Amino acid sequence: MHKKIICCLLFIISIFACVSAYAAEVTDVRWGLDRFNVLRLVVDLDSPPGYNISFQGQTMLVTVNAKLDEKVTRSFKMRSTLAPTMTVEESGGNTVLKLPLARTIGTQDYNAFTLKNDPVTKRPNRLVVDITADKTATPSVVIPKADNSAEKAKAPVTVPKTSTAKTTVPKTTTPKTTAKVTVPKKTAVKTEEKKTAKSSFKTDGGLKGKKITLDAGHGGSDPGAIGSNGTREKDVTLKITKKVQELLKKKGAKVSMTRTGDTDVYGPNASDSQELQARVDVAEDNDADAFISIHINSSTNKSVGGFSSYYYPKTNNDARLAQAVQDRLVKNFGLDDLGIRKANFYVNKRCSMPSTLLELAFISNPKEEKLMNSNWYINKLAKSIADGIEDYFK
């Protein structure tokens, strides 16, 4: 009898030993601050993480259910006025990131999500925490050097016309006045030398025969903004873009796509500027007459919603293109008209032909997120965009 008990105990001990041996481990911690003052924390792990975010007074605690690799940096000085320092320590088998804050923030002031490892891009499992409490409506800070930068930030971006909303676009994506907005990969990036335009573009004479490049925002390792029900921006933009492609072809246009699946456009281990430039290159390589980048907006204010179209005035036709599409969107839906807006987005600024970046409602708004999961909405949205592009060429 005693032998059986001893054997059972040894068996149980061996199980715990195996579990301990294969416990998740934090392999790296880094941070980044985009030009809109959004602080991003990224935790790399060797297996999918469990985590919890809590507060002790004004100290934010990000607890990850994983042990801490001894090679991980334990203390950070950050260029954030909200959280100038961060310490990393192991406690009870967990890894804890401690951020003393300059002031108290609420759950609406941060967003956390996990990313699975990607064998293609060789990126590990990650926990990403975006702290948007101090997000600004216009660029206000210098991006940290590469060795301190975090994952590609989603360039959130939209500022509603109302004075009470601070948009974070990006959920984007995202800059605003009083509401926080997440900005997708769209803006917070370093620029590279612009390539020489390969050909002139056409702006009238009808849509038939015109060359259009469609860009489905985000994709691959970058999910973009994520709604409260798990809807991912990259999935919605791809659905819309494919439908627009189909409609434009029926109207006689020649359409090129930056991506047709859930992939990064540049490829593995790309920097933000490399990924965005790869999208611009598709338009340049196809001598496009117009470039349309499709995104979904996001804000920490869940009541903010509506459409907006962005442009950079590098030609006399960029604003006209944005307005043509915006008019169709507003005409066919009962959502708020946030208007056309001038913005320094990489893809708009760097492509040689007229272009617009569309923010098609807010994934952070529960009602609008629900619409994004309905086929009739996707189809009607795509038709509005295609009709707007056709109007532009008349």
Side-chain angles (χ1 to χ4, degrees), residues 134-147:
D134 280 358
K135 187 170 182 81
T136 60
T138 58
S140 61
V141 298
V142 177
I143 301 175
K145 295 181 180 180
D147 59 352

Side-chain angles (χ1 to χ4, degrees), residues 345-383:
F345 290 151
Y346 189 106
V347 293
N348 284 347
K349 184 176 182 179
R350 293 311 181 94
C351 63
S352 61
M353 69 294 300
S355 66
T356 183
L357 186 150
L358 309 177
E359 289 286 6
L360 304 175
F362 283 70
I363 204 168
S364 51
N365 182 311
K367 292 181 179 179
E368 295 186 359
E369 180 187 7
K370 185 176 181 180
L371 288 175
M372 295 171 196
N373 289 292
S374 60
N375 289 330
W376 74 264
Y377 175 78
I378 296 295
N379 291 336
K380 188 173 182 180
L381 200 58
K383 185 178 186 303

Side-chain angles (χ1 to χ4, degrees), residues 305-325:
F307 299 114
S308 53
S309 301
Y310 290 83
Y311 71 96
Y312 182 79
K314 59 185 181 296
T315 76
N316 294 326
N317 296 285
D318 293 272
R320 188 168 68 84
L321 174 59
Q323 191 67 66
V325 178

Side-chain angles (χ1 to χ4, degrees), residues 1-14:
M1 183 66 177
H2 290 296
K3 288 184 177 180
K4 290 183 177 180
I5 294 176
I6 292 174
C7 289
C8 289
L9 289 174
L10 291 175
F11 177 70
I12 293 174
I13 291 173
S14 65

Side-chain angles (χ1 to χ4, degrees), residues 11-23:
F11 177 70
I12 293 174
I13 291 173
S14 65
I15 291 178
F16 279 107
C18 290
V19 171
S20 177
Y22 289 97

